[in-house]
């Protein structure tokens, strides 16, 4: 696949139904895990377990917000919203990132600092170990669902998994993969804190584990927040795709130059293209109309996610030859 084709593939998110299933699986898993971790945290007195419970609660809220994003962004365009509701996905996904920050990271950092400052008496860790093991299995299943979709889309477009995850506008799948990966790392950290406290009799290990979980969630919230912010501000199609669009426009015998090209990603499977185009002076109005229609068809065939194309006939810069004529 050429660089332009890879760029075009990277901005196509994949099936909306598949994304919904991925998010639902993650939400159900996180809700059950959150309740189990909270009970285990109270019984064992582990701050790391309570931090993990907050982590899972934040993840559950995140999945609910992502489900809202998928449902509302899929509404068709209407008179009040002529460009559709695609960008609404990124508003709700941004709120999901904030939930991860507030509900998970802040609580974990606070609980870790509190444990280190006030001390902690390790309780019975057996229940926590059992819950962590079960949670690891459930989180692994949820992550497997998200990875299967992401790897499937990456393979479909013959590109690397990392490139797909970095460029895809389907931030719902990106959130599930990142949050479930962070959850598995958090479970290992919580287990390490419990084990350290059990071996040494000190709550310092548990407090450190809670702090590390908080830092991990801060990173996830920052990456997801930045990704969604880029689409809310307005992210263009990748440069190779823009170059391909320009080349497709110039294939028309009636188009002399593309004076200005603007592209905007409006959703995982939708983009807008607007261009100021200089047509041949000798072209008739009918030929210009036909050239615009043919150019739009070529663009949609080359980059299927292009939904709207606006071409503005614009005279190019006057040259010395024009003055002589």
């Amino acid at each position: 696949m050429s660089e332009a084709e890879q760029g075009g593939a990277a901005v196509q998110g994949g099936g909306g139904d598949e994304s919904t299933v991925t998010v639902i699986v993650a939400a159900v898993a996180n809700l059950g895990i959150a309740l189990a971790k909270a009970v285990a945290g109270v019984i064992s007195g582990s701050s790391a377990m309570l931090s993990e419970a907050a982590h899972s609660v934040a993840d559950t809220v995140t999945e609910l917000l992502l489900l809202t994003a998928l449902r509302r962004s899929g509404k068709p365009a209407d008179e009040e919203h002529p460009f559709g509701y695609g960008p609404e996905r990124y508003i709700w996904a941004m709120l999901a990132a904030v939930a991860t920050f507030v509900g998970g990271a802040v609580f974990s950092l606070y609980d870790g600092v509190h444990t280190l400052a006030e001390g902690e008496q390790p309780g019975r860790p057996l229940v926590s170990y059992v819950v962590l093991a079960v949670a690891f299995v459930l989180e692994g299943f949820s992550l497997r669902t998200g990875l299967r979709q992401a790897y499937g889309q990456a393979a479909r477009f013959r590109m690397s998994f990392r490139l797909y995850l970095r460029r895809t506008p389907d931030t719902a799948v990106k959130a599930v993969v990142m949050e479930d990966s962070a959850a598995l790392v958090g479970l290992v950290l919580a287990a390490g804190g419990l084990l350290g406290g059990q071996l040494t009799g000190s709550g310092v290990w548990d407090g450190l584990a809670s702090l590390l979980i908080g830092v991990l969630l801060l990173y996830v919230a920052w990456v997801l927040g930045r990704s969604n912010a880029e689409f809310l501000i307005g992210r263009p199609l990748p440069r190779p795709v823009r170059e391909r669009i320009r080349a497709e426009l110039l294939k028309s015998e009636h188009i002399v130059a593309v004076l200005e090209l603007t592209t905007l990603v409006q959703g995982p499977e939708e983009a807008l293209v607007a261009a100021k185009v200089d047509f041949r002076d000798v072209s008739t109005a009918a030929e210009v109309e036909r050239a615009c229609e043919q150019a739009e068809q070529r663009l949609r065939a080359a980059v299927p996610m292009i939904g709207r194309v606006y071409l503005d006939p614009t005279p190019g810069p006057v040259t010395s030859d024009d003055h002589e004529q």
Side-chain angles (χ1 to χ4, degrees):
M1 178 178 282
S2 68
E3 185 181 5
E5 289 172 327
Q6 282 197 355
V11 294
Q12 296 182 47
D17 292 339
E18 192 176 4
S19 297
T20 300
V21 172
T22 298
V23 173
I24 289 176
V25 170
V28 173
N30 282 317
L31 180 59
I33 293 169
L35 294 175
K37 286 177 180 176
V39 173
V42 172
I43 293 176
S44 65
S46 168
S47 66
M49 282 301 297
L50 292 176
S51 294
E52 272 298 298
H55 181 174
S56 294
V57 169
D59 283 353
T60 303
V61 173
T62 294
E63 313 308 341
L64 293 176
L65 289 171
L66 291 177
L67 284 174
T68 302
L70 291 172
R71 181 179 62 84
R72 293 188 62 85
S73 64
K75 295 166 61 178
D78 53 37
E79 186 175 353
E80 296 296 325
H81 299 85
F83 292 110
Y85 292 79
E88 189 167 352
R89 169 187 295 243
Y90 303 116
I91 296 175
W92 290 96
M94 174 66 80
L95 292 177
V98 173
T100 299
F101 172 76
V102 176
V106 172
F107 179 86
S108 297
L109 292 173
Y110 167 79
D111 204 36
V113 171
H114 177 77
T115 299
L116 291 176
E118 301 296 331
E120 178 185 279
Q121 293 298 323
R124 294 173 291 176
L126 179 59
V127 176
S128 294
Y129 285 131
V130 173
V131 169
L132 288 175
V134 174
F136 197 91
V137 173
L138 294 177
E139 291 284 9
F141 176 76
S142 176
L143 177 60
R144 176 176 173 271
T145 304
L147 287 176
R148 184 167 56 187
Q149 179 180 353
Y151 271 111
Q153 292 297 324
R156 174 186 172 191
F157 299 120
R158 290 179 290 171
M159 60 194 307
S160 69
F161 170 76
R162 290 184 61 186
L163 179 61
Y164 172 80
L165 201 64
R166 186 170 72 248
R167 290 188 177 180
T168 178
D170 193 344
T171 53
V173 174
K174 184 173 184 176
V176 170
V177 171
M178 289 199 65
E179 289 173 356
D180 285 346
S181 298
L184 291 178
V185 176
L187 291 172
V188 174
L189 291 174
L194 284 171
L195 182 60
Q198 187 178 8
L199 294 176
T200 64
S202 171
V204 171
W205 294 98
D206 209 39
L208 287 175
S210 186
L211 285 177
L212 290 175
I213 291 170
V215 172
L216 179 65
L217 291 177
L218 275 178
Y219 172 74
V220 172
W222 177 74
V223 171
L224 294 178
R226 184 184 63 176
S227 178
N228 285 290
E230 288 180 355
F231 289 107
L232 284 173
I233 295 171
R235 197 171 90 174
L237 290 169
R239 183 180 298 276
V241 182
R242 300 200 300 271
E243 292 174 353
R244 183 174 184 181
I245 290 173
R246 188 180 296 272
E248 290 292 336
L249 290 174
L250 291 174
K251 285 182 179 180
S252 173
E253 61 178 331
H254 297 286
I255 295 179
V256 177
V258 179
L259 305 176
E260 182 180 322
L261 177 64
T262 302
T263 64
L264 179 66
V265 176
Q266 297 182 294
E269 299 178 2
E270 186 175 3
L272 178 147
V273 173
K276 289 182 177 294
V277 179
D278 182 14
F279 287 89
R280 293 171 58 88
D281 294 337
V282 296
S283 298
T284 65
E287 288 173 333
V288 169
E289 291 175 350
R290 189 162 52 253
C292 288
E293 185 66 23
Q294 292 172 347
E296 182 174 348
Q297 293 174 359
R298 282 198 302 270
L299 290 181
R300 287 179 172 169
V303 185
M305 73 176 296
I306 293 178
R308 295 175 177 82
V309 178
Y310 300 101
L311 301 180
D312 179 15
T314 305
V318 177
T319 64
S320 57
D321 292 339
D322 294 328
H323 284 300
E324 292 174 2
Q325 291 177 1

